[in-house]
C-alpha cells in the first residue's frame, strides 16, 4: 500500500505541471504583446519581446559631423560626437567591416584618426585641415539597455485617433447594454408567469432566434434604416444591438424568472397585487443576478463587435469605434507594432477589467444560457 | 465628451421611455376594464388576455424587425440582382455553385466546423479535468478563460504578433518563428501558406473558445454523481479509466451543447479572417465572403445568397435546440 502515496504525489505533480503549461500557453501571446506595448519602437523591431529585460545589441550607422566644422585644438583638427546611447563594443569605418575595431582602438582614414570609446563618443583627429560638408560614416555595435516607455500609449491615445474611438465605443456600448435589459425583463416575466395561448410557441421561436446568423440581418436592416431615415448613426446601432441582443436577454431572464419560487408570486397575487406590481416589487429585484449576467454578456459583445459597427456606423472620426480603428491600423500600420500593441491594449483593457471583476456573473450566465452562440 | 453625455441621455430616455410605456399601457388597460364593479370577473378575464402582449410588445416588435423580417427579406434578395430591383431567378444560386471563392470558403468552413469545436472542447475538457484537482485551479481557470473577453480583432493583433515573420537573415520578433529558428528550422510566413494558414487562424478561435468550453464542462464534471465514481474506485479503476469510462459518458449532453454552441460561433466569425488574411492565400470563409460581397462587391443579391447558406448550415442546430428547449419545458 505504501507506494500509493508516491503515485498520488507524482500524479499531483504531473497535473500541476500540465496546468502550468496550459496556462503559460494561453497567456503567453497576450503577455508578449503587453510587454511589447511598453517597449521602444526600435527595440520591438529588432529583438523579440522575450529579450526585453536584457540589453539588446544594435548595429547603428551614424554620419559624423561635417569635416569643415572641425575645431582646432592644440594644433590638431578635432571632430567629436556620439554614435548612440549605450555601451559600444566595436566600430568600423566601412560597411563591409562594421566591427573591424574594438572600442578605443584607432582607425586611420585619409590621414584622419578615428576612434570610438566604449561610452559611445567618437573623436576624429587630423593634422591637416579637413574639408567637405559630408561627415564620414561610422558603424558601431552598441549594447542598449532595456527601455520601457509609455510613449506608445500617449501616441495612440492622442494622435492616432484611438482616444476618440474609445469615446465612440463607449457611446455605442452604454445605451446598447442597458436598454435591452428592461425590454427583455418585461417580456421574460410575461413568458414565465402569465398564462396566454401561444406561450410555448413564442419561447420556441426565441430559442430559434438565438442562433440566427447576424449576416442574414445586415443587408435588409441597412436598407430599412435608410428607408426610415436612420441612415448610419448611433440611433441605428443602438436599435440594432438591442434587437440582436434580445433573444439571449429574454431567454436568460425567462429561465431565471421561471425558477423563482411559485409561492412568493402566488401569495402576492392572492394579496391583490397586479402583474405590474409583482414584476416591479418582486421579480425585478430577485432577478438581479440574471440581469447582471446578461448585462456583462451584452457589454462584452457590443464592446468587442466589429461587424455591426462596420455596417451601421460610418467610417468618420466621430463614428469609428475601436475595433474598426484597430482593423484600419492593421491595414495601414501593419508593421508598426508599437502602435498596434498599445492600441490593442487600450481596446482590451476595459473588457478585461469587467471580466475579472464580474467573472462570477459571467460564469453563471454562461451556465444558464449555453445555447447561445455568441 | 458631449457625445458620451448624449449616449447617457439616450440611455436614460430609453429606460424612462420603457418604464413610461409599461406604466401607461397598464394603467390605460385597467381604466378601460376596471377590476371591480358588476363586470369585474369579465374585465379581469379580458385584461389577462391583453396584458401579456403589452408586456411583450416592445420585445416582440424589435425581434420581428431585427431578426424575423431580415430572414424573409434575405430570401427575397437572393432571387434579385445586385441592387434588389430586378428578379433574376436562380442566377445568384447558380453563380454560387460555380464560384471558386465560394467553393474554397465552403471547404475551409468545413475544416473550421470540425477542428475548432473539436479542439476547443478537447482542450476545455482537459483544462476542466486538471484544474479541478489542484489548489490554484480557480486562478488557472481565470487565465485560460480570459481570452473570452478579448475581441476577435484584438485577438488577431495578438496572434499576428506571434506569427510575425522576418527573413531568415534577421532576428525573429514573432515567438513562433523564434522557436522554430532556435530548434534549427527555417522561419515561415505562416499565414500565407495555403491550406495550412486556415489552421493558424483556427488556433486563434480555439484559444478564445477553450475557456468557454472549460467553464461549462467543469460545471458538468462537478455534477457527476459521486456514487458512480466511488464504485469505480472500489473496482480498482485508474484515474484515466474513471475519466474516460465513467465521467465522459455522463457528460455527453453537455459536450453536445458546447460543441453546437461553438459550431454556431464558427459559422459567424469573420473578424479573424478579415484581420489576418482578408481571404487571401485561399483562407476565405463564408462569413467573410458575405462581408466582401456586401461591402466591396456591393452586390446585395450575392451577399444575401451567401448569408442564406450560413443560415442553412445553422438550421439543423436551431431545430435541435428548439426540440431540447421544448423537452425541458414539459
Amino acid at each position: 500500500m505504501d507506494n500509493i502515496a508516491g503515485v498520488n504525489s507524482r500524479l499531483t505533480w504531473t497535473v500541476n505541471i500540465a496546468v502550468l503549461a496550459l496556462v503559460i500557453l494561453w497567456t503567453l501571446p497576450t503577455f508578449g504583446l503587453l510587454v511589447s506595448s511598453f517597449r521602444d519602437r526600435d527595440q520591438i523591431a529588432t529583438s523579440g519581446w522575450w529579450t526585453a529585460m536584457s540589453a539588446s545589441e544594435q548595429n547603428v550607422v551614424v554620419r559624423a559631423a561635417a569635416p569643415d566644422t572641425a575645431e582646432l585644438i592644440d594644433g590638431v583638427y578635432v571632430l567629436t560626437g556620439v554614435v548612440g546611447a549605450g555601451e559600444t563594443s566595436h566600430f568600423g569605418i566601412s560597411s563591409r567591416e562594421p566591427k573591424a575595431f574594438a572600442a578605443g582602438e584607432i582607425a586611420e582614414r585619409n590621414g584622419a584618426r578615428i576612434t570610438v570609446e566604449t561610452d559611445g563618443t567618437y573623436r576624429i583627429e587630423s593634422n591637416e585641415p579637413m574639408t567637405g560638408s559630408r561627415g564620414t560614416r561610422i558603424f558601431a555595435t552598441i549594447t542598449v539597455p532595456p527601455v520601457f516607455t509609455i510613449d506608445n500609449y500617449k501616441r495612440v491615445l492622442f494622435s492616432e485617433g484611438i482616444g476618440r474611438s474609445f469615446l465612440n465605443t463607449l457611446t455605442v456600448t452604454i445605451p446598447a447594454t442597458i436598454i435591452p435589459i428592461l425590454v427583455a425583463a418585461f417580456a421574460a416575466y410575461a413568458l414565465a408567469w402569465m398564462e396566454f395561448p401561444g406561450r410555448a410557441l413564442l419561447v420556441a421561436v426565441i430559442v430559434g432566434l438565438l442562433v440566427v446568423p447576424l449576416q442574414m440581418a445586415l443587408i435588409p436592416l441597412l436598407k430599412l434604416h435608410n428607408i426610415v431615415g436612420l441612415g448610419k448613426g448611433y440611433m441605428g446601432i443602438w436599435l440594432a444591438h438591442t434587437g440582436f441582443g434580445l433573444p439571449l436577454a429574454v431567454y436568460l431572464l425567462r429561465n431565471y424568472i421561471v425558477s423563482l419560487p411559485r409561492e412568493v408570486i402566488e401569495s402576492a397575487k392572492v394579496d391583490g397585487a397586479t402583474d405590474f406590481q409583482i414584476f416591479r416589487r418582486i421579480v425585478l429585484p430577485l432577478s438581479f443576478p440574471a440581469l447582471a449576467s446578461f448585462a456583462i454578456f451584452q457589454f462584452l459583445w457590443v464592446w468587442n463587435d466589429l461587424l455591426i459597427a462596420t455596417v451601421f456606423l460610418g467610417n468618420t472620426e466621430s463614428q469609428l469605434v475601436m475595433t474598426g480603428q484597430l482593423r484600419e491600423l492593421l491595414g495601414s500600420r501593419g508593421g508598426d507594432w508599437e502602435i498596434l500593441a498599445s492600441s490593442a491594449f487600450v481596446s482590451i483593457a476595459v473588457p478585461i477589467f469587467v471580466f475579472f471583476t464580474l467573472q462570477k456573473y459571467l460564469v453563471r450566465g454562461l451556465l444558464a444560457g449555453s445555447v447561445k452562440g455568441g | 465628451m458631449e457625445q458620451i453625455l448624449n449616449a447617457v441621455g439616450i440611455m436614460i430616455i430609453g429606460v424612462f421611455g420603457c418604464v413610461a410605456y409599461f406604466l401607461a399601457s397598464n394603467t390605460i388597460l385597467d381604466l378601460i376594464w376596471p377590476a371591480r364593479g358588476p363586470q369585474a370577473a369579465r374585465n379581469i378575464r379580458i385584461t389577462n388576455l391583453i396584458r401579456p402582449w403589452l408586456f411583450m410588445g416592445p420585445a416582440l416588435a424589435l425581434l420581428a424587425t431585427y431578426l424575423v423580417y431580415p430572414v424573409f427579406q434575405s430570401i427575397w434578395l437572393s432571387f434579385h440582382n445586385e441592387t434588389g430591383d430586378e428578379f433574376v431567378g436562380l442566377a445568384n444560386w447558380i453563380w454560387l455553385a460555380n464560384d471558386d471563392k465560394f467553393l474554397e470558403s465552403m471547404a475551409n468552413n468545413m475544416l473550421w466546423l470540425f477542428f475548432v469545436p473539436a479542439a476547443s472542447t478537447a482542450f476545455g475538457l482537459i483544462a476542466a479535468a486538471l484544474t479541478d484537482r489542484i489548489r490554484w485551479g480557480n486562478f488557472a481557470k481565470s487565465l485560460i478563460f480570459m481570452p473570452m473577453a478579448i475581441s476577435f480583432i484584438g485577438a488577431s493583433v495578438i496572434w499576428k504578433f506571434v506569427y510575425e515573420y522576418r527573413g531568415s537573415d534577421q532576428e525573429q520578433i514573432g515567438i513562433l518563428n523564434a522557436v522554430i529558428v532556435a530548434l534549427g528550422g527555417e522561419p515561415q510566413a505562416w499565414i500565407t501558406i495555403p491550406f495550412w494558414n486556415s489552421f493558424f487562424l483556427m488556433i486563434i478561435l480555439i484559444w478564445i473558445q477553450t475557456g468557454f468550453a472549460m467553464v461549462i464542462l467543469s460545471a458538468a464534471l462537478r455534477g457527476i454523481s459521486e456514487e458512480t465514481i466511488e464504485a469505480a474506485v472500489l473496482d480498482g479503476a485508474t484515474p484515466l479509466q474513471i475519466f474516460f469510462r465513467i465521467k465522459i459518458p455522463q457528460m455527453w449532453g453537455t459536450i453536445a451543447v458546447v460543441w453546437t454552441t461553438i459550431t454556431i460561433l464558427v459559422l459567424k466569425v469573420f473578424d479573424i479572417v478579415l484581420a489576418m488574411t482578408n481571404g487571401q492565400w485561399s483562407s476565405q470563409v463564408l462569413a467573410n465572403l458575405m462581408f466582401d460581397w456586401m461591402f466591396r462587391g456591393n452586390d446585395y443579391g450575392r451577399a444575401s445568397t451567401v448569408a442564406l447558406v450560413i443560415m442553412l448550415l445553422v438550421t439543423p442546430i436551431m431545430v435541435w435546440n428548439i426540440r431540447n428547449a421544448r423537452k425541458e419545458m414539459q
Side-chain angles (χ1 to χ4, degrees):
Chain A
M1 283 303 275
D2 54 3
N3 64 353
I4 283 182
V7 169
N8 269 343
S9 85
R10 210 166 54 205
L11 188 67
T12 315
W13 268 107
T14 327
V15 170
N16 268 301
I17 291 171
V19 174
L20 191 67
L22 262 180
V23 167
I24 290 178
L25 209 59
W26 249 255
T27 45
L28 203 67
T30 319
F31 183 69
L33 201 68
L34 180 65
V35 170
S36 298
S37 70
F38 289 106
R39 294 182 77 203
D40 177 70
R41 173 196 168 91
D42 295 332
Q43 293 197 343
I44 298 179
T46 53
S47 63
W49 58 266
W50 51 92
T51 64
M53 291 312 292
S54 55
S56 67
E57 211 176 62
Q58 286 181 9
N59 295 315
V60 297
V61 187
V62 289
R63 204 169 270 288
D68 46 18
T69 61
E71 286 177 60
L72 188 61
I73 303 171
D74 300 335
V76 195
Y77 293 90
V78 178
L79 284 169
T80 55
V82 288
V83 288
E87 201 177 292
T88 309
S89 58
H90 293 87
F91 73 99
I93 48 175
S94 89
S95 58
R96 287 206 203 127
E97 289 177 288
K99 293 185 177 187
F101 306 95
E105 287 182 348
I106 294 171
E108 297 251 1
R109 183 174 197 168
N110 306 337
R113 295 177 296 280
I114 305 173
T115 183
V116 179
E117 300 295 336
T118 49
D119 63 358
T121 55
Y122 67 83
R123 184 180 175 90
I124 303 174
E125 295 179 350
S126 171
N127 297 336
E128 308 297 320
M130 293 185 274
T131 54
S133 58
R134 261 167 83 83
T136 181
R137 283 195 298 172
I138 301 176
F139 300 83
T141 307
I142 305 178
T143 309
V144 183
V147 181
F148 291 99
T149 160
I150 56 163
D151 285 353
N152 300 335
Y153 283 95
K154 278 190 197 150
R155 183 158 160 216
V156 297
L157 280 178
F158 301 113
S159 58
E160 293 283 342
I162 290 286
R164 181 61 209 248
S165 52
F166 188 91
L167 291 184
N168 295 344
T169 303
L170 264 183
T171 310
V172 173
T173 312
I174 301 169
T177 305
I178 305 295
I179 293 177
I181 295 180
L182 206 61
V183 176
F186 274 99
Y189 173 76
L191 287 171
W193 288 107
M194 292 166 122
E195 295 289 338
F196 59 92
R199 189 172 77 159
L201 182 73
L202 270 182
V203 175
V205 168
I206 284 168
V207 171
L209 290 179
L210 277 173
V211 299
V212 168
L214 293 185
Q215 274 79 8
M216 294 285 294
L218 301 180
I219 295 173
L221 290 177
L222 195 60
K223 293 182 108 176
L224 186 72
H225 277 187
N226 280 333
I227 292 170
V228 300
L230 281 172
K232 287 194 168 197
Y234 286 111
M235 205 56 191
I237 198 170
W238 289 327
L239 281 172
H241 273 304
T242 305
F244 297 148
L246 269 181
L248 179 69
V250 176
Y251 178 75
L252 269 185
L253 293 179
R254 193 204 85 96
N255 279 358
Y256 192 87
I257 292 174
V258 89
S259 70
L260 294 176
R262 178 172 284 273
E263 304 84 56
V264 177
I265 289 162
E266 293 200 331
S267 66
K269 272 194 182 158
V270 170
D271 289 347
T274 64
D275 278 314
F276 193 75
Q277 285 165 331
I278 295 173
F279 175 77
R280 197 168 51 105
R281 301 254 171 82
I282 300 174
V283 172
L284 214 50
L286 283 180
S287 313
F288 176 76
L291 299 179
S293 291
F294 170 74
I296 295 166
F297 268 120
Q298 180 76 356
F299 173 83
L300 289 178
W301 160 248
V302 174
W303 187 280
N304 287 337
D305 160 76
L306 171 68
L307 184 60
I308 297 172
T310 315
V311 176
F312 291 102
L313 281 180
N315 220 352
T316 55
E317 190 202 349
S318 64
Q319 292 192 348
L320 193 58
V321 292
M322 254 186 305
T323 47
Q325 183 88 38
L326 263 184
R327 180 194 156 207
E328 297 223 324
L329 286 176
L330 266 174
S332 61
R333 312 294 289 267
D336 295 349
W337 281 108
E338 77 283 3
I339 301 277
L340 281 174
S342 42
S343 308
F345 272 96
V346 172
S347 82
I348 292 172
V350 177
I352 291 272
F353 175 77
V354 169
F355 172 83
F356 278 116
T357 46
L358 302 171
Q359 204 177 24
K360 189 175 70 177
Y361 294 108
L362 185 69
V363 169
R364 209 179 281 173
L366 269 185
L367 293 176
S370 44
V371 171
K372 158 97 171 175
Chain B
M1 233 36 231
E2 192 189 328
Q3 202 179 324
I4 298 287
L5 290 180
N6 266 340
V8 173
I10 287 290
M11 182 194 82
I12 293 169
I13 293 171
V15 170
F16 274 95
C18 283
V19 173
Y21 159 81
F22 288 115
L23 259 179
S25 61
N26 271 287
T27 321
I28 292 171
L29 196 66
D30 289 331
L31 280 180
I32 300 179
W33 290 286
R36 62 188 109 73
Q39 295 192 310
R42 189 193 69 123
N43 283 353
I44 288 177
R45 207 155 24 88
I46 292 175
T47 52
N48 277 352
L49 271 180
I50 297 177
R51 206 184 308 270
W53 301 99
L54 290 182
F55 271 56
M56 293 186 300
L60 290 186
L62 278 164
L63 284 174
T65 319
Y66 279 84
L67 286 166
V68 180
Y69 154 77
V71 174
F72 295 103
Q73 173 76 4
S74 288
I75 297 174
W76 187 85
L77 278 170
S78 78
F79 295 109
H80 287 75
N81 71 345
E82 61 264 32
T83 49
D85 302 323
E86 202 181 306
F87 183 76
V88 293
L90 287 172
N92 287 323
W93 292 89
I94 293 166
W95 159 80
L96 202 66
N98 295 306
D99 184 53
D100 285 344
K101 265 298 182 192
F102 172 73
L103 297 175
E104 175 196 312
S105 310
M106 269 310 254
N108 282 333
N109 259 119
M110 291 303 140
L111 286 178
W112 281 75
L113 278 179
F114 177 73
F115 283 102
V116 175
S120 309
T121 314
F123 278 118
L125 197 55
I126 294 171
L130 294 182
T131 48
D132 274 347
R133 291 164 157 266
I134 56 174
R135 225 174 291 154
W136 53 290
N138 280 336
F139 176 67
K141 265 188 201 152
S142 277
L143 289 178
I144 296 176
F145 194 27
M146 181 201 67
M148 271 289 277
I150 297 176
S151 59
F152 293 125
I153 207 96
S156 300
V157 174
I158 288 173
W159 280 88
K160 212 168 185 192
F161 192 54
V162 171
Y163 297 149
E164 177 78 354
Y165 163 74
R166 294 291 165 96
S168 54
D169 52 332
Q170 283 170 292
E171 197 176 340
Q172 299 299 326
I173 64 167
I175 194 159
L176 182 61
N177 273 320
V179 170
I180 298 281
V181 169
L183 294 175
E186 274 289 303
Q188 303 280 338
W190 303 105
I191 56 171
T192 63
I193 310 168
F195 183 70
W196 297 109
N197 53 6
S198 287
F199 289 89
F200 288 104
L201 304 194
M202 286 179 217
I203 288 175
I204 304 175
L205 194 54
I206 294 168
W207 179 71
I208 295 175
Q209 287 301 312
T210 295
F212 162 74
M214 177 192 68
V215 166
I216 307 273
L217 293 172
S218 153
L221 269 178
R222 272 189 232 125
I224 288 175
S225 73
E226 288 286 328
E227 290 124 49
T228 55
I229 296 169
E230 273 165 27
V233 171
L234 286 179
D235 286 346
T238 65
L240 278 183
Q241 280 176 327
I242 293 178
F243 185 69
F244 284 108
R245 302 263 177 86
I246 311 285
K247 290 185 177 170
I248 293 210
Q250 295 193 46
M251 291 165 59
W252 279 128
T254 316
I255 291 178
V257 168
V258 170
W259 190 292
T260 49
T261 308
I262 299 177
T263 302
I264 295 162
L265 183 79
V266 166
L267 281 170
K268 294 196 264 184
V269 160
F270 92 111
D271 325 39
I272 294 176
V273 177
L274 178 77
M276 297 291 282
T277 62
N278 199 8
Q280 286 171 285
W281 307 294
S282 32
S283 63
Q284 190 65 293
V285 293
L286 290 174
N288 194 46
L289 185 70
M290 184 269 163
F291 186 79
D292 224 33
W293 277 107
M294 179 179 175
F295 267 92
R296 283 204 312 186
N298 273 322
D299 188 328
Y300 286 179
R302 288 181 176 182
S304 298
T305 315
V306 179
L308 275 175
V309 172
I310 302 176
M311 181 74 197
L312 285 174
L313 290 172
V314 170
T315 310
I317 299 176
M318 187 192 264
V319 173
W320 189 75
N321 278 352
I322 293 177
R323 267 204 200 149
N324 279 354
R326 298 200 76 141
K327 240 185 266 166
E328 268 169 40
M329 275 177 64
Q330 276 152 17

